[in-house]
Every structure is written in C-alpha cells, then in structure tokens.
Amino acid sequence: MTIYDAWRGAADLSYDVAIYGAGAAGITLARALSRKSARVGLFEAGGFGRPPGGPGHPFAGKIVGLPYDLTATRLRYFGGTTNHWGGWCRPLDPHDFQAHSHIPLSGWPLSRGELDPYLEKALDICEVPTGGLGLAAFDRDFGFGELTQRASAELTYKSFLFSPPTRFGVRYRSDIEAAENVECLLNATLVKVLVADGSVDRCLLATPDGSRLRVSAHCHVLAMGAVENARVLLASGVANSSGFVGRCFSDHLGKTIGVALLDFNNRYHLHQAVHDGRQFRVLPHLSFRDEILEEQQLVNFGLIFHRWDSQPLGLLGEGVERQLEYVAGSEKNRFRVLLRMENTPNPNSRIELTNELDASGLPRVSLNWQLNPLDMSCVERLCTVLGRAIGKAGGRFRVNARTATATYTGAYQSHQMGTTRISRNPDDGVIDPSLRCHDVGNLYVAGSSVFPTFGFANPTLTIVALTLRLAEHLRRRLGIADA
C-alpha cells in the first residue's frame, strides 16, 4: 500500500492493528509488523513538513504550573520528535526499574533484563555505533578520567552514545511506502476512542476538510506522545478507572550546579572512543553507585564536567574535535558542572482538558507541571556527597548559590513522560505490563507516556525497545504469521 492524505480515503477503514502517531514508536511498530500477514493502519495527524506555529497550533494549550512550552517541545509531522532529536542514547539503568522506598509510585512491572534483547535491536533501529560492543558499550570504561579511581567509593560513570541522529520519518519512509500490508494516512487526527463492552468499537479521526474517518481494528495503539495520548483518552472518557490518565507528567531536569577545580584532566564530556578499530561518540556522565543513591535517598542522575572555555554541548558534530582540543590544551582544569536528573512521579503534575477546542474539535490541554519536594532536596544532598568525593580526589567544588532552592530554576529536556503509566495493579496506573489498557481489552499505548519512573536517560532508545516488545505481543495475540 502507500502513504496518502486522509481525506482522499474511504470513510470506513478496517485493520488488524491501527496505530495512531507516526513518531519513533508508531513507525517502529508499523515496520515490525510490515513483513507479517496482518493488515496495519498507521495514522499521522500531520503531513511531511512542520506545520505553521502561532496561537492556532493544535498543540497550543494553557500552562498553570511550572513554565513549559507545549508547542516547541513537540513536532506534529511524519517522524514526530525524532525530527529534532539530538541523537542521545542510553537505556534506562536496571536501578531505574526497581522500587525504591524513598520514591513514591516507583517500580516497573518488568525488569531491565526482560528488555535487554529488545534494546539490542533498538540500537540497530536508532543506528547507534557501539564499536561492536552492543549494550556493553554504555558501561565500559574507555579511560574516562581519574575521579572514579581517586574516589571510587561513591562514583561511577554512565555513558551516552549517539545516533546520527536518525530521523525516523526520513530514514524509514521508504519502508512504510514499500510495505504491502501497511496503509499510512497523513493529516488524520485522532479525536475520539469509542468503547463498547470493554473494547474499542471504533476510533474517529478528523481530516482537514472537516470530515471524519471511522477506524475499526482488532487492536488499537496510541503512539502520539505523553501529552496527546492523555489528551485523547481524557477527551474520550476511557481507560481511566484509576484516575491516572494525565497524571504524573514528567520531564528530565537540567541545571548547572557549581564549579569544580581539579588538578588533572577530567574527561566527562564528549569525545571519540575506539574499539576494534571503530570510532564512535561517547559522552560519559559521572554519577553515584546504586548503593549511594539508596543510602542518600537520591534520584538517578548524571553529571557532565564541561570545560569553562569550551563550546556548548549542543555542537555534537564539529564540537567533538573542539572539545578534545580544549581538553588536550588544558593546564588548569576548571569545570562547569552540569546536572541532568530525573524527577519523581507526582500525581498532581498533570494534563487536564480546557473548554477551548482546536480546529479538529479536540479540547486543548492545560498543563500543571509540578515537582515533588524530594526532587530539589536531592540536589542539595547530591552536592554534599559530590563535594566530599571531589575533595577526596584532591579537588574543590563550589556550589551555585541557587542550586538547592525550593523552586526549580533550571531547564527541562523536552522528554515528556508518565501520563499513562504502566502498572501491575489497575489501581496504580493506566496500562498493564503488555502495554494494554487495564480497562479496555484491545487498546494499547506506546511511547514514554507509559514510563512509571523516568531515570535520567533520554527516552528514545527505551521507547523503541518497548515498542518491539509490544510488536511481539501483538503477533502472539493475533496469531500473525510472516507474510
């Protein structure tokens, strides 16, 4: 089949699997099912290019909590937010999947080990060079500096690797076009999920000409991002017996927490690693060992030691050589210490609906992003332990005056998560371990909205791995064979 504009199609459509959203999750799921006997529908609310901005933008909404830009952080066109993804890749740590007594609502109903086979495949889909090491590259010591050797009781490293970055809408468009069993419709906005007798009866999609498409399927999958997944479920009034739809909205936090003075070269910033004669980009982060995170009741985090006179980390291309040049030419080592951390699940941090409708007739959202007091107190304790470790290594650490304030003053990372959380108990979340909604027998959710806790790693690699796991589940459920 092919990709075409929605209003050129029939009003009534039927599939084995209908996927709503053509970002990393939606495209990955469609590709995973593309060589099977199932008939797949893939629906994207945008087209092939970025839509115009302004107050009429479908993502515009009301902000009532911490400041947040609902339009710049998301992209509504084929490929989704992979169209502005920086390519940062790291799987969530095994520690992130565990329950922790100091973190409310923590613990995934699956382990990192269960996800590892899918993460290995996700590396290929995200086109992440690892020097042939696979997942082992993220925890390998490539000679990242002396801090962990001099103060090894507290410190460890947690590395990021990099996708080119892969633009899923560009890289995999030809695969979707060539798949005989996949039909992709653009400019088709999901506005309503209609449920009867505990299952989705059909879904309604709006087209630019004001008409409606009616889609039926054995299984429906929402893959539109943390805000839109919650928005559509709330507007449809389904899958929310627990009251968790839209709650626990989260984003990774980032801020400069201080300045470190070291009498040796530290390599906790972007550089080239080599294994088996192959080069790849590595950005090691300094962090604490799991037992220290537990002992100090901290969230997971990573620190970048960024040379005071170096270029911004955003320059991931030419900046690689410049970073290395600055490190090699350094005699006195003064570093700006950048923190990237998770924040903890907060049911009061949530997406709700307003009375204002967008052009498709879908209610606009109101975002009340909030942090827990634990999140900011973690920064204060983190700085204390870090200062002690740096002092043990013969250095000095000066904390920024505004670091440990009750009000967050840093930046978010545009990683929206948590609004349709996974849980084993239906009272604690929206979807079960298979990513199926607890309340609706044939409705699934893919993407980072399912994360119950968040780690500090960029979510794309984990999103792709969870989606591959979902594809396997759907094949088993529907008895789908290879085509």
Side-chain angles (χ1 to χ4, degrees):
M1 298 186 186
T2 188
I3 301 175
Y4 59 88
D5 287 325
W7 63 88
R8 298 176 187 168
D12 293 287
L13 301 167
S14 180
Y15 305 94
D16 292 307
V17 180
I19 306 164
Y20 306 95
I27 289 175
T28 295
L29 184 57
R31 289 184 70 244
L33 298 173
S34 66
R35 290 181 294 276
K36 308 300 176 182
S37 58
R39 190 161 182 266
V40 179
L42 176 62
F43 301 91
E44 167 55 43
F48 283 129
R50 185 192 296 263
H57 194 286
F59 287 162
K62 182 179 179 183
I63 303 299
V64 298
L66 289 172
Y68 204 92
D69 191 328
L70 283 168
T71 58
T73 54
R74 302 182 287 158
L75 297 178
R76 192 172 193 164
Y77 62 103
F78 194 72
T81 53
T82 67
N83 287 302
H84 66 190
W85 177 38
W88 297 53
C89 285
R90 176 177 174 80
L92 293 177
D93 299 327
H95 175 87
D96 296 325
F97 289 82
Q98 300 165 4
H100 306 286
S101 60
H102 63 287
I103 299 179
L105 298 171
S106 61
W108 289 56
L110 66 150
S111 69
R112 167 55 198 277
E114 293 175 68
L115 205 56
D116 277 355
Y118 306 101
L119 285 166
E120 290 280 5
K121 296 176 183 177
L123 289 172
D124 291 335
I125 292 171
C126 294
E127 301 180 300
V128 181
T130 67
L133 292 167
L135 291 177
F138 292 100
D139 299 310
R140 187 180 180 91
D141 185 355
F142 292 98
F144 289 148
E146 300 182 41
L147 265 176
T148 50
Q149 285 74 32
R150 295 196 188 189
S152 59
E154 291 94 359
L155 304 179
T156 187
Y157 52 85
K158 299 174 181 178
S159 295
F160 283 74
L161 306 181
F162 291 90
S163 169
T166 300
R167 307 298 183 206
F168 279 54
V170 176
R171 174 65 178 82
Y172 297 119
R173 175 176 170 177
S174 61
D175 289 359
I176 300 300
E177 290 176 328
E180 294 183 0
N181 67 321
V182 177
E183 186 172 49
C184 179
L185 279 71
L186 304 178
N187 299 298
T189 303
L190 178 62
V191 294
K192 196 83 169 179
V193 178
L194 299 172
V195 172
D197 299 323
S199 293
V200 177
D201 177 55
R202 62 191 183 280
C203 287
L204 299 182
L205 294 94
T207 66
D209 65 356
S211 61
R212 290 288 189 266
L213 301 177
R214 295 177 293 275
V215 177
S216 61
H218 292 297
C219 293
H220 299 260
V221 183
L222 306 186
M224 302 175 292
V227 177
E228 294 303 292
N229 285 345
R231 181 187 186 189
V232 167
L233 290 176
L234 289 171
S236 303
V238 301
N240 197 24
S241 64
S242 67
F244 269 102
V245 172
R247 292 186 182 270
C248 299
F249 174 89
S250 180
D251 198 328
H252 290 132
L253 309 178
K255 65 188 305 183
T256 298
I257 60 171
V259 177
L261 297 176
L262 302 171
D263 63 355
F264 52 88
N265 263 344
N266 177 75
R267 298 185 70 205
Y268 289 94
H269 37 76
L270 189 66
H271 65 101
Q272 296 279 10
V274 179
H275 179 74
D276 197 24
R278 290 176 280 185
Q279 285 193 340
F280 51 100
R281 293 181 293 175
V282 178
L283 179 55
H285 285 58
L286 191 69
S287 191
F288 294 163
R289 298 182 183 276
D290 289 351
E291 57 268 28
I292 303 299
L293 295 177
E294 288 296 306
E295 175 190 304
Q296 296 294 325
Q297 296 193 330
L298 299 173
V299 299
N300 203 357
F301 71 93
L303 298 170
I304 303 169
F305 281 59
H306 192 18
R307 280 210 53 79
W308 198 261
D309 54 355
S310 63
Q311 297 293 312
L313 274 172
L315 298 175
L316 293 179
E318 297 176 3
V320 176
E321 288 72 32
R322 292 182 184 173
Q323 294 279 2
L324 291 171
E325 188 178 302
Y326 280 118
V327 172
S330 171
E331 293 182 1
K332 189 61 178 175
N333 300 283
R334 184 180 182 218
F335 299 93
R336 184 183 293 111
V337 182
L338 281 69
L339 168 69
R340 302 176 74 237
M341 61 179 280
E342 66 176 322
N343 70 278
T344 53
N346 182 343
N348 294 320
S349 179
R350 63 187 301 192
I351 297 289
E352 295 180 283
L353 301 181
T354 69
N355 293 324
E356 182 183 357
L357 304 181
D358 69 10
S360 67
L362 199 59
R364 294 193 182 276
V365 301
S366 171
L367 171 60
N368 184 6
W369 180 32
Q370 297 186 26
L371 305 181
N372 285 315
L374 170 65
D375 303 331
M376 290 302 95
S377 64
C378 277
V379 179
E380 184 176 5
R381 291 195 301 280
L382 185 159
C383 289
T384 300
V385 179
L386 178 64
R388 184 174 67 229
I390 289 176
K392 186 185 298 184
R396 296 290 182 268
F397 178 60
R398 185 180 69 204
V399 181
N400 281 357
R402 299 175 64 193
T403 287
T405 60
T407 303
Y408 183 67
T409 57
Y412 49 83
Q413 308 294 303
S414 302
H415 304 155
Q416 296 156 5
M417 302 169 286
T419 57
T420 63
R421 65 195 320 269
I422 188 174
S423 66
R424 196 172 300 280
N425 186 335
D427 294 335
D428 298 332
V430 179
I431 62 168
D432 70 14
S434 71
L435 306 189
R436 182 184 64 82
C437 290
H438 287 297
D439 298 352
V440 186
N442 63 342
L443 180 61
Y444 293 80
V445 182
S448 52
S449 68
V450 311
F451 291 15
T453 53
F454 317 111
F456 80 100
N458 293 48
T460 305
L461 193 68
T462 302
I463 288 171
V464 173
L466 285 170
T467 303
L468 292 172
R469 180 174 174 270
L470 172 59
E472 190 172 285
H473 167 83
L474 292 174
R475 289 197 295 267
R476 290 196 304 268
R477 171 173 175 166
L478 298 176
I480 298 171
D482 290 338

